[in-house]
């Protein structure tokens, strides 16, 4: 028998979200997108001034946001700041683990081990620590959502980026494993793999190279905007998105779909 139609909640109003790497690029766009929907936003970044600027802009537009300084590679600080933010807002519904750095290190790089360790600390280890710190709070939510940000470099690879690729592939594995582990509690865990996006991370690439790359590699023939990723993150966090978990979604303008 078909169960009766049940209207699902598509509002993020008053939901509390913790976004890392929110001073710039996709994190900043995500913080703003949530605030636009009436969510209350912890704007978290290693750059305290950048986080404060994003939070202040949200407040100036009538939203509810507070900045928190955090180096996600600092285990003790992760726990402290998650607790501080959740205590400030009175709970936590969504975690968006977005903070990241690029790690360019060809395999013969003399300090490869150091680069590897730094890359994995920021891009992968931090994600499990954030989840562990957030869980006691998320367990009190009736629509707990975790979104991890990986990369299309988790699905394919570019020479010179093995540490970055390995860390991002680790994020997809972590996402699936946590989805399976936390599903019985109603907590969803999903991963977004952005393709080439116009952010601080890609700001140093000359425009001409970007356009050429996008023309050759993506279906959309252009770089994406941070907002175009933020809106997918936001959709995964809707209370209505309650049966979607353990997925890895490329938001890449069709890069992974394109052969020629
Ligand atoms: P960005 O450089 O604009 O923003 C990254 C933010 O993370 C910055 O505000 C930075 O200060 C912050 N950050 C860096 N290290 C941190 C730390 N240790 N603790 C806390 N905050 C820290 O870059 P972006 O492109 O918006 O990156 C967001 C995420 O998207 C990253 O995980 C990145 O790897 C991923 N990504 C980016 C692209 C792209 O094309 N831009 C593609 C795929 C994946």
């Amino acid at each position: 028998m078909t169960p009766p139609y049940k209207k699902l909640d598509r509002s993020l109003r008053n939901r509390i979200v913790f976004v890392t790497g929110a001073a710039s690029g996709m994190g900043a766009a995500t913080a703003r997108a949530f605030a636009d929907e009436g969510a209350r936003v912890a704007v978290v970044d290693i750059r305290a001034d950048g986080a404060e600027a994003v939070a202040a802009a949200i407040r100036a537009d009538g939203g509810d946001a507070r900045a928190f300084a955090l180096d996600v590679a600092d285990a003790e600080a992760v726990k402290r700041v998650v607790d501080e933010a959740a205590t400030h807002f009175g709970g936590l519904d969504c975690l968006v683990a977005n903070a990241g750095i690029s790690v360019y290190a060809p395999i013969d790089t003399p300090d490869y081990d150091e680069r590897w360790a730094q890359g994995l600390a920021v891009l992968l280890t931090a994600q499990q620590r954030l989840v562990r710190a957030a869980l006691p709070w998320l367990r009190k939510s009736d629509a707990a959502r975790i979104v991890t940000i990986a990369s299309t470099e988790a699905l394919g690879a570019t020479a010179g980026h093995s540490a970055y690729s390995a860390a991002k592939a680790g994020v997809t594995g972590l996402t699936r494993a946590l989805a399976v582990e936390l599903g019985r509690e109603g907590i969803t865990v999903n991963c977004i793999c952005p393709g080439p996006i116009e952010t601080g991370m890609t700001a140093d690439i000359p425009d001409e190279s970007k356009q050429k790359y996008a023309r050759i590699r993506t279906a959309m023939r252009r770089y994406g905007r941070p907002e175009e990723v933020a809106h997918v993150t936001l959709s995964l966090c809707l209370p209505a998105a309650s049966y979607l978990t353990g997925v890895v979604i490329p938001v890449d303008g069709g890069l992974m779909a394109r052969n020629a």
Side-chain angles (χ1 to χ4, degrees), residues 14-257:
N14 293 325
R15 294 277 165 189
I16 300 158
V17 58
F18 189 96
V19 186
T20 67
S24 169
M26 285 178 260
T30 302
R32 280 166 182 265
F34 272 89
D36 286 348
E37 296 302 315
R40 308 171 67 202
V41 189
V43 179
V44 184
D45 204 282
I46 195 168
R47 286 176 32 225
D49 54 342
E52 184 46 47
V54 171
I58 289 172
R59 289 194 298 268
D61 286 342
D64 185 357
R66 181 165 159 186
F68 295 88
L70 171 66
D71 175 357
V72 295
D74 179 339
E76 178 277 324
V78 165
K79 174 100 189 71
R80 178 173 43 77
V81 173
V82 168
D83 286 346
E84 207 178 305
T87 303
H88 169 76
F89 286 112
L92 188 62
D93 299 293
C94 315
L95 165 67
V96 181
N98 163 84
I101 50 172
S102 59
V103 187
Y104 177 72
I107 197 69
D108 293 324
T109 304
D111 64 347
Y112 187 88
D113 261 343
E114 277 164 52
R115 310 290 294 282
W116 170 275
Q118 191 203 8
L120 265 77
V122 174
L123 297 169
L124 179 58
T125 308
Q127 298 229 4
Q128 56 85 353
R129 286 185 181 144
L130 283 160
V131 170
R132 288 192 294 135
L135 261 182
W137 298 97
L138 293 175
R139 284 187 165 126
K140 295 181 192 156
S141 168
D142 61 351
R145 305 280 177 260
I146 298 170
V147 177
T148 59
I149 305 296
S151 167
T152 46
E153 293 294 318
L155 310 171
T158 305
H161 291 81
S162 51
Y164 185 84
S165 252
K168 292 298 195 180
V171 171
T172 65
L174 179 70
T175 303
R176 289 192 191 94
L178 292 177
V180 172
E181 193 167 327
L182 300 175
R184 70 193 67 199
E185 298 184 60
I187 301 172
T188 71
V189 192
N190 293 297
C191 174
I192 289 178
C193 289
I197 311 293
E198 293 278 7
T199 68
M201 195 170 278
T202 52
D204 289 343
I205 305 171
D207 276 348
E208 206 178 311
S209 309
K210 280 185 187 164
Q211 282 164 18
K212 189 174 167 203
Y213 178 86
R215 222 172 29 244
I216 296 169
R217 297 296 312 278
T218 69
M220 305 306 290
R221 271 75 172 173
R222 63 173 176 81
Y223 259 56
R225 292 189 301 275
E227 294 76 15
E228 294 178 301
V229 178
H231 280 277
V232 182
T233 303
L234 191 142
S235 303
L236 294 174
C237 289
L238 296 177
S242 44
Y243 202 56
L244 177 63
T245 196
V247 302
V248 174
I249 305 177
V251 182
D252 64 352
L255 182 142
M256 295 309 299

